[in-house]
Amino acid sequence: MNDPPKMLREEQLISALKELEGRVAAWKQHVRDLQAHTILQDLYVSGVQSELQASEQRKHKKKSWKLNLDGLPKLLSGEDFYQKVVADDEQRKNKQLEKEKRKEAQGAANTMKQKWDEEGKAQKERNAYALEMWKEEVKFWEREREWAKEAHEKP
């Protein structure tokens, strides 16, 4: 390969071989690019899939209040079914109590927030008044300074 070609045909074959090697290198690079693209797509799709799955689970998380979900006939006067009804009623009462406690806590938080806002508003008013008084004092001092300059005295 390192020797110079002796015939025209040999020269043509060597140039064709170099051209094909260039094409093969280009195709290899294209395959690497496609593989990298596929890996990135796989990462993206798996992330989106997990987000979708989580959102679907949140949608289906709502508990049904039906006790007979399997569709099979049940003996409604049986002890097992009665225990399920009692447990379900207890669970509903507990959830209602928790809901009422959350509402009370929210009401207390809202009351505290209102009080906080009112105190903040009063503080802003006091600050605005103090700022206005300070500005008036500065104006008075500046006027005194100007009079002193005119009279060539210290203020």
Side-chain angles (χ1 to χ4, degrees):
M1 280 287 213
N2 294 336
D3 297 334
K6 296 178 183 173
M7 297 185 179
L8 180 64
R9 179 75 176 148
E10 188 178 351
E11 187 178 331
Q12 290 172 345
L13 289 174
I14 289 174
S15 67
L17 178 64
K18 287 183 181 179
E19 181 184 332
L20 288 176
E21 284 177 347
R23 285 185 186 175
V24 167
W27 279 108
K28 283 182 180 180
Q29 182 61 41
H30 184 66
V31 167
R32 278 189 229 110
D33 291 345
L34 289 175
Q35 287 174 342
H37 186 71
T38 302
I39 289 169
L40 292 174
Q41 276 185 334
D42 183 47
L43 289 173
Y44 174 75
V45 167
S46 63
V48 170
Q49 180 186 12
S50 64
E51 288 177 14
L52 178 64
Q53 186 177 7
S55 70
E56 286 179 356
Q57 285 178 352
R58 281 193 301 270
K59 285 180 185 176
H60 296 299
K61 191 176 180 180
K62 296 178 183 175
K63 185 179 182 325
S64 174
W65 293 107
K66 295 179 182 177
L67 296 175
N68 190 11
L69 287 178
D70 57 6
L72 298 175
K74 300 250 190 278
L75 180 61
L76 298 181
S77 61
E79 185 63 29
D80 291 338
F81 185 77
Y82 178 74
Q83 292 301 325
K84 284 183 181 181
V85 169
V86 169
D88 186 57
D89 286 343
E90 187 72 25
Q91 187 178 18
R92 285 186 192 197
K93 287 178 186 176
N94 289 339
K95 284 192 177 192
Q96 185 65 29
L97 288 175
E98 289 175 12
K99 187 176 180 181
E100 289 172 4
K101 285 180 184 178
R102 282 194 306 268
K103 281 188 178 182
E104 288 175 7
Q106 183 67 31
N110 286 341
T111 304
M112 290 187 69
K113 185 180 180 307
Q114 276 183 331
K115 184 178 177 184
W116 176 273
D117 289 342
E118 290 171 2
E119 289 175 1
K121 189 176 181 182
Q123 179 69 32
K124 286 181 182 179
E125 289 174 359
R126 287 192 301 268
N127 288 345
Y129 177 73
L131 181 65
E132 193 64 36
M133 294 302 294
W134 178 78
K135 286 181 180 180
E136 287 180 18
E137 289 178 13
V138 168
K139 286 179 185 177
F140 178 73
W141 180 82
E142 287 175 348
R143 275 188 257 132
E144 252 187 8
R145 186 180 62 178
E146 290 297 320
W147 293 334
K149 279 184 182 180
E150 289 174 7
H152 300 292
E153 296 176 0
K154 289 186 178 180

